[in-house]
């Protein structure tokens, strides 16, 4: 057994060199750091590609200018099954045009293929997963995200718990394609791990009223009004019927002050003696 070699100190430097902070470049932060930096008063930048929503006013308020990947987008509606298609139809059309499949899991109503064809969604690229129970819907969505198996995913989860949404968000963070979770409007009062949440309803003039409940950026107080005539009516609806609210009767207000009728004098005179 060889004896241990004694420790020898290095006397080449008499004192340790103090650490000094490195100064940023004169032009500011490095490009890589500046690209990853997000300030709370600004819209967040996407970590990957985004898909234009088809509505310029909505894209102007979405982080990155469209529907983002690597995360969940919650669509909250009062009546599930129809409004989601009108809001997401333009983006799904682009996915189909790129040759990617669109997978829908557990829609409350069967997809109406003739109507979706007007929206540009090809039947051969639409995959419908019939999942009736909440457990089946969650399991199907998780497997599709893990397998990177589609160009866009829509899943209806009306009774999802916060922990389940958080699990889906963790999985979707590694999935580049957009993932849309459709839930009832009452879920807006619940907390959610989804980085983007929108509440949508239908207006009088075929428009969609969209309110951004949560986004990576400053809050948006105003409601967006997006023109959206159903695809099947585009070729048949007349200009007069594009704004039906203009032809609806308005309530008239009576500005005349009506005095109540004078009450008769009911004082009784005392009898004469």
């Amino acid at each position: 057994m060889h004896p241990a070699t004694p420790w020898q100190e290095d006397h080449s430097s008499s004192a340790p060199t103090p650490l000094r902070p490195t100064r940023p470049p004169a032009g500011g932060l490095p490009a890589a750091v500046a690209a990853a930096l997000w300030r709370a008063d600004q819209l967040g930048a996407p970590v990957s590609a985004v898909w234009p929503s088809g509505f310029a006013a909505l894209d102007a308020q979405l982080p990155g200018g469209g529907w983002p990947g690597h995360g969940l987008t919650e669509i909250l509606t009062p009546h599930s099954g129809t409004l989601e298609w009108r809001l997401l139809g333009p983006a799904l059309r682009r996915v189909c045009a790129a040759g990617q499949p669109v997978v829908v899991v557990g829609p409350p109503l069967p997809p109406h293929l003739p109507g979706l064809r007007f929206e540009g969604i090809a039947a051969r690229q639409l995959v419908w997963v019939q999942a009736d129970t909440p457990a089946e819907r969650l399991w199907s969505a998780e497997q599709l995200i893990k397998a990177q198996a589609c160009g866009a995913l829509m899943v209806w989860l009306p009774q999802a718990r916060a922990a389940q949404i958080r699990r889906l968000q963790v999985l979707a963070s590694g999935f580049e394609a957009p993932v849309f979770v459709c839930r009832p409007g009452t879920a807006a009062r619940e907390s959610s791990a989804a980085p983007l949440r929108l509440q949508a309803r239908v207006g009088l003039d075929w428009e969609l009223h969209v309110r951004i409940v949560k986004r990576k950026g400053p809050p948006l107080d105003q409601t967006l009004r997006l023109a959206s005539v159903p695809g099947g009516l585009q070729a048949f609806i007349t200009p007069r019927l594009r704004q039906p609210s203009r032809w609806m009767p308005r309530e008239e207000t009576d500005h005349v002050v009506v005095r109540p009728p004078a009450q008769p004098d009911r004082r009784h005179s005392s009898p004469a003696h």
Side-chain angles (χ1 to χ4, degrees), residues 178-191:
V179 178
F180 302 101
V181 178
C182 305
R183 305 181 66 191
T186 54
R189 299 191 295 264
E190 305 173 5
S191 61

Side-chain angles (χ1 to χ4, degrees), residues 192-224:
S192 173
L196 181 60
R197 309 182 76 194
L198 289 85
Q199 198 169 22
R201 59 184 179 87
V202 180
L204 291 177
D205 296 330
W206 309 100
E207 59 188 5
L208 300 178
H209 294 183
V210 177
R211 187 171 67 90
I212 299 179
V213 180
K214 178 184 177 183
R215 66 176 178 177
K216 190 176 181 180
L220 182 65
D221 297 330
Q222 68 183 38
T223 299
L224 303 177

Side-chain angles (χ1 to χ4, degrees), residues 114-136:
L116 295 179
R117 192 178 299 115
F118 283 107
E119 300 292 344
I121 302 175
R124 65 180 178 273
Q125 291 172 305
L126 181 66
V127 180
W128 172 24
V129 179
Q130 186 173 358
D132 299 327
T133 65
E136 293 175 346

